[in-house]
Amino acid sequence: MCYAFEDIGLGCFWSTDATGRVTYFSPAAQTALGGEQGCIGRSFNELFLPSEGESERSLPFLMTRMRRFEGHVVRSERAGSILWWSVSAEPVMVRGAFAGFLGHCEDITSERRSAEESSHLAMHDALTGLINRRRMSQLLERTLTNCAAQGSPCAVMMIDLDRFKQVNDTLGHAAGDALLKQVAERLVRVVGNKEHVARLGGDEFQVIFPGEEDRGILGGIATDIIAVASQPYSIDGNRCIIGASVGVAISPFDGDGSEELVRNADLALYAAKGGGRGGFRFFIKDLLKAAEDRRLLEEDLRDALERGEFEVHYQPVVRAADNRVVGVEALVRWNHPEKGMISPVRFIPIAEESNLIKGIGEWVLRRACAEAAGWPGHLRVAVNVSPVQFADEGFPALVANALASSGLEPARLELEITESVFLQEGGTTNERFKALKGLGVRLALDDFGTGYSSLGYLKNAPFDKIKIDQSFVRGATEAGSRNRAIIAAIDALAKALDMETTAEGVESFDQFDLMKSLDVTQVQGFIYSEAIANEQFEREIDSGVWVIEPNGPALQRHDRQAMFRRIGVIHDEHYYPVVLRNLSASGALIEGLVGVPVGTKFVVDLGEGQLTVSTVRRSRKSQQGLEFEQTLVADGNGGLCTRSRVSSYPLAAAGLPANTRVDGPHQMGRREDGKASMPAFGMASDWNGAMKRSEDD
Ligand code: C2E
Ligand code: MG
Ligand code: MG
């Protein structure tokens, strides 16, 4: 019976003497465990590898106890491969004395492997091999508990790819999968630790940084991630480009539970995407309010079209050579019943995400065509087309219908399209272009210079015009800017390809003159006119030819942004509210205190736990120039922040006011004698005025 059990390989038997040396071992297992040498006469323990985990009881321990044990799992190694065994044993007593063990063991390697595989599968993303959402959430939970116990921080980064969906839609899912794999590899290379990078699903990734709170370092990593993810990919011979946006939240400042931290990192990510994509953001408390405002705006947006709250305004596009208006751009406005005029910059992205853009876009198109049909025949009207509208198969038919029902000549309609509609050559983009061109309308490439501006797009797409973005125009007048050379190149290319160029957002004469010298044919900007309502527009064109004289400041000002922001400074035991007038990485100008000697040390409270030590370097009446001991770092949003923060509990315990809205010196903590101490500095007499201005801000 025993031998049958051994022979069919179900298991094997063994016995040892009182010292633990093997006296019997089933022949079948002898080679697997003992090799050529066999097992007889050797120490039973030595046939197996030492146990891995400290917590488990080791085999030698069980053997020295001389008691029964069952199903103890051990490993052995044979020719480089690991085998797993389940070992059970019964002590043999001879006249009351321990004489050795009699036991059996079983090779459980294959069960063990499949269990490992399925647990690997359950915890990993099959496509990229990264850990999955489930494992990441367990890991984060555990890491946060450990960090909290040690009083150390932990950062969470959420990463989302920009325009991944378009790759998926145009090149197919297999290409999308291949792209995700490459993205995962690049991410791991930047982060360094594969175990801390997860793919949550779709094009969403999450990374954790236990022990890290330095926003300078985290901002640097986020920048690297974005740069690396934005490098071109080669997929089945197709070249494609995507981008990435990153949101960061850091415990304990931005939440101590994993759920709150992840939600806040998500809000930061959302803000990064809203900020033009391809950027990173740190979570700040304002984002919670912004998310709520947005939700309310989206609710209102649902009925805005029905309630007739939209208007179309028209901004003249002027020929720079003779100041003649040659066309206009239709710009949608939302006249909200309570909030007043809301900029399209705010509501178009919401409309795009909530699928309301199709209705709004159609309304603008029909309205603009209908109004333009009544203007003099030489005036063209440009209408902005969202990538969401452009991607819709029915879009060319809609344009045809708007033209037919308004009677507008197709050549007078110009559709403004942004670069984001094409990521790769071929696919549906070309068909859509063909269909639209077939209607006889003009196409303009809008916002050139903001995205992945590639001259390659221009070579292959049938554009009639390139619109140079205002940020590009603005940058061109800055010293040492390469934008001029690029604009000159765009212009030469446009001429060669028989396209017009329009410079957008021209406000001052230095910009205007530069654009003229670079041979840009048309200018659209406040130097000529803002967007105006149709009635006013019709009055202006009544006279037939409409000429506008340029009018604006001589130079565009690049000075430091002046600001009015309430902050606080701490000196001795006192907290003083002051107004921040300007801020740079190395220092700040504050207003509100008088009698502050040069050399005074202040702890500056920039809000949300951002404290930084500074020294007064200049002091004039109620203004002091401060130099920071530690420079600030970029917050990813064009602003600055401190590298690390102090969480609110110790601040409150130290008597720091919960916000900077205290209206005079505030004593922190209590002196031992219980008496209040005198503040060292006075508040400026016009301080209230400055505060008032900061509140109006
Ligand atoms: P855009 O198509 O690049 O339009 C030009 C924007 O620049 C307009 O902002 C215009 O008012 C502004 N602008 C023109 N000249 C100057 C200047 O000299 N200085 C400054 N600071 N700004 C100037 P607006 O009307 O707020 O529109 C913003 C964006 O919203 C547009 O950028 C466009 O992308 C989008 N948008 C507007 N209307 C529509 C629409 O009907 N459909 C879609 N899909 N998007 C629209
Ligand atoms: Mg436009
Ligand atoms: Mg534009």
Side-chain angles (χ1 to χ4, degrees):
M1 162 71 191
C2 284
Y3 287 101
F5 176 77
E6 290 177 300
D7 288 343
I8 58 173
L10 279 176
C12 52
F13 294 98
W14 55 272
S15 64
T16 64
D17 61 15
T19 67
R21 297 207 172 269
V22 178
T23 50
Y24 174 77
F25 221 107
S26 299
Q30 280 219 37
T31 18
L33 267 174
E36 310 244 303
Q37 220 186 321
C39 302
I40 311 297
R42 293 169 64 187
S43 153
F44 185 74
N45 286 331
E46 281 167 16
L47 301 177
F48 303 97
L49 293 168
S51 69
E52 269 183 322
E54 310 258 302
S55 56
E56 308 161 22
R57 295 195 150 161
S58 65
L59 185 61
F61 171 79
L62 292 171
M63 301 280 287
T64 48
R65 271 207 326 179
M66 297 182 273
R67 284 204 224 134
R68 177 172 197 268
F69 61 89
E70 219 172 322
H72 184 72
V73 176
V74 282
R75 296 165 309 140
S76 71
E77 195 198 330
R78 203 63 213 114
S81 61
I82 301 285
L83 298 176
W84 293 81
W85 305 88
S86 162
V87 183
S88 305
E90 196 78 53
V92 179
M93 308 301 280
V94 178
R95 283 190 293 277
F98 174 73
F101 278 111
L102 194 60
H104 65 93
C105 65
E106 205 183 320
D107 180 348
I108 55 165
T109 308
S110 59
E111 289 94 316
R112 193 76 194 194
R113 287 220 176 104
S114 62
E116 268 182 3
E117 266 162 30
S118 58
S119 91
H120 184 90
L121 276 180
M123 293 300 180
H124 288 76
D125 168 40
L127 180 65
T128 60
L130 297 177
I131 59 172
N132 63 13
R133 182 188 291 272
R134 188 160 146 222
R135 165 102 186 105
M136 177 49 102
S137 108
Q138 291 171 354
L139 178 68
L140 181 61
E141 197 83 49
R142 224 180 37 225
T143 309
L144 287 177
T145 310
N146 289 343
C147 285
Q150 296 163 8
S152 70
C154 177
V156 171
M157 219 177 245
M158 302 294 279
I159 302 156
D160 191 283
L161 305 180
D162 298 333
R163 293 176 305 277
F164 171 72
K165 195 177 167 297
Q166 279 117 309
V167 174
N168 234 351
D169 291 351
T170 50
L171 291 179
H173 286 274
D177 283 356
L179 180 66
L180 287 173
K181 272 194 209 164
Q182 293 189 29
V183 171
E185 282 162 20
R186 293 182 187 188
L187 269 181
V188 170
R189 238 180 293 138
V190 176
V191 175
N193 186 344
K194 187 173 177 186
E195 283 308 301
H196 288 168
V197 185
R199 176 173 168 241
L200 303 181
D203 60 348
E204 253 193 310
F205 297 84
Q206 183 182 334
V207 187
I208 60 166
F209 298 91
E212 194 57 82
E213 62 156 327
D214 187 317
R215 290 189 286 184
I217 292 175
L218 291 164
I221 297 173
T223 308
D224 288 349
I225 287 178
I226 293 163
V228 161
S230 311
Q231 294 293 315
Y233 297 80
S234 161
I235 286 158
D236 299 333
N238 284 298
R239 198 176 112 105
C240 63
I241 299 178
I242 55 164
S245 302
V246 178
V248 189
I250 306 162
S251 87
F253 320 100
D254 304 329
D256 30 32
S258 68
E259 216 171 288
E260 190 185 2
L261 203 60
V262 167
R263 182 203 61 197
N264 290 347
D266 252 334
L267 282 177
L269 171 64
Y270 187 78
K273 281 195 164 282
R277 293 157 195 255
F280 71 87
R281 282 287 177 88
F282 293 114
F283 172 78
I284 51 169
K285 293 212 170 64
D286 290 354
L287 293 179
L288 281 174
K289 184 167 181 306
E292 177 59 12
D293 289 351
R294 217 192 100 86
R295 201 185 54 74
L296 295 174
L297 211 60
E298 182 180 330
E299 259 174 35
D300 290 348
L301 197 58
R302 295 197 177 276
D303 319 310
L305 197 56
E306 265 173 40
R307 289 202 302 247
E309 291 169 4
F310 291 115
E311 293 172 16
V312 180
H313 286 202
Y314 299 97
Q315 185 177 32
V317 178
V318 185
R319 190 157 64 200
D322 57 5
N323 299 332
R324 269 178 67 155
V325 177
V326 292
V328 295
E329 175 172 5
L331 294 161
V332 67
R333 301 285 177 260
W334 179 12
N335 198 349
H336 190 281
E338 289 138 39
K339 301 192 172 85
M341 281 293 182
I342 299 178
S343 157
V345 178
R346 266 187 85 195
F347 72 84
I348 294 285
I350 301 179
E352 284 175 338
E353 264 171 52
S354 52
N355 226 2
L356 295 166
I357 190 67
K358 285 191 191 158
I360 299 171
E362 175 174 350
W363 182 83
V364 174
L365 179 70
R366 290 188 184 281
R367 177 71 170 229
C369 289
E371 292 186 328
W375 304 337
H378 66 276
L379 284 182
R380 291 198 295 244
V381 64
V383 176
N384 290 287
V385 178
S386 153
V388 181
Q389 287 175 278
F390 185 84
D392 189 48
E393 245 178 285
F395 183 63
L398 169 68
V399 175
N401 189 284
L403 288 168
S405 51
S406 64
L408 183 73
E409 207 181 301
R412 287 179 59 203
L413 176 64
E414 188 164 78
L415 300 175
E416 294 197 359
I417 295 158
T418 56
E419 290 165 283
S420 50
V421 300
F422 40 152
L423 279 161
Q424 49 90 45
E425 287 137 31
T428 52
T429 315
N430 278 347
E431 285 162 30
R432 202 63 32 90
F433 277 134
K434 249 196 227 142
L436 291 170
K437 283 288 359 162
L439 299 174
V441 299
R442 290 165 51 94
L443 298 178
L445 178 59
D446 202 1
D447 299 346
F448 191 86
T450 53
Y452 294 88
S453 315
S454 156
L455 298 178
Y457 296 152
L458 299 177
K459 232 173 50 203
N460 303 321
F463 287 111
D464 301 282
K465 175 187 269 192
I466 305 164
K467 300 194 76 176
I468 304 165
D469 189 67
Q470 51 180 287
S471 59
F472 214 60
V473 170
R474 212 146 286 176
T477 53
E478 278 162 30
S481 168
R482 290 167 60 199
N483 290 9
R484 280 163 205 254
I486 299 174
I487 295 174
I490 294 172
D491 207 71
L493 187 69
K495 279 212 177 66
L497 297 170
D498 215 14
M499 297 176 187
E500 291 174 353
T501 42
T502 296
E504 289 187 279
V506 175
E507 292 180 352
S508 56
F509 275 98
D510 59 337
Q511 295 167 346
F512 184 64
D513 293 340
L514 178 65
M515 292 307 128
K516 284 217 296 200
S517 75
L518 290 173
D519 238 3
V520 172
T521 35
Q522 296 163 4
V523 165
Q524 176 184 351
F526 295 169
I527 195 153
Y528 282 119
S529 170
E530 298 183 0
I532 51 179
N534 187 46
E535 305 80 65
Q536 191 188 344
F537 182 71
E538 284 185 334
R539 271 199 304 278
E540 299 281 4
I541 48 175
D542 219 17
S543 49
V545 173
W546 183 18
V547 173
I548 311 178
E549 282 306 316
N551 179 21
L555 286 179
Q556 198 211 340
R557 300 191 320 163
H558 292 300
D559 54 6
R560 256 186 190 206
Q561 258 207 313
M563 50 169 107
F564 283 102
R565 193 174 123 205
R566 264 185 185 246
I567 59 162
V569 294
I570 301 163
H571 179 262
D572 273 352
E573 302 158 332
H574 289 92
Y575 186 96
Y576 303 84
V578 293
V579 172
L580 179 66
R581 292 303 306 274
N582 71 41
L583 182 69
S584 74
S586 57
L589 183 69
I590 58 167
E591 183 173 346
L593 299 183
V594 288
V596 183
V598 167
T600 304
K601 291 231 179 226
F602 280 131
V603 174
V604 181
D605 173 15
L606 293 166
E608 295 204 9
Q610 304 187 88
L611 299 188
T612 179
V613 180
S614 70
T615 310
V616 174
R617 293 292 178 212
R618 282 178 300 124
S619 188
R620 247 193 81 239
K621 293 186 185 159
S622 61
Q623 291 194 337
Q624 286 82 37
L626 309 180
E627 183 185 31
F628 298 145
E629 252 172 35
Q630 244 211 338
T631 53
L632 304 185
V633 294
D635 70 354
N637 187 26
L640 295 161
C641 61
T642 56
R643 283 181 174 270
S644 40
R645 285 172 286 173
V646 182
S647 73
S648 51
Y649 304 109
L651 291 183
L656 202 80
N659 62 50
T660 51
R661 303 217 166 259
V662 288
D663 42 13
H666 167 94
Q667 185 172 3
M668 297 168 54
R670 277 252 152 252
R671 291 193 348 174
E672 268 169 26
D673 58 10
K675 288 189 189 137
S677 64
M678 289 298 290
F681 314 116
M683 302 302 293
S685 52
D686 62 349
W687 178 82
N688 273 327
M691 281 299 155
K692 190 85 200 70
R693 275 179 286 163
S694 82
E695 256 144 41
D696 295 341
D697 214 37

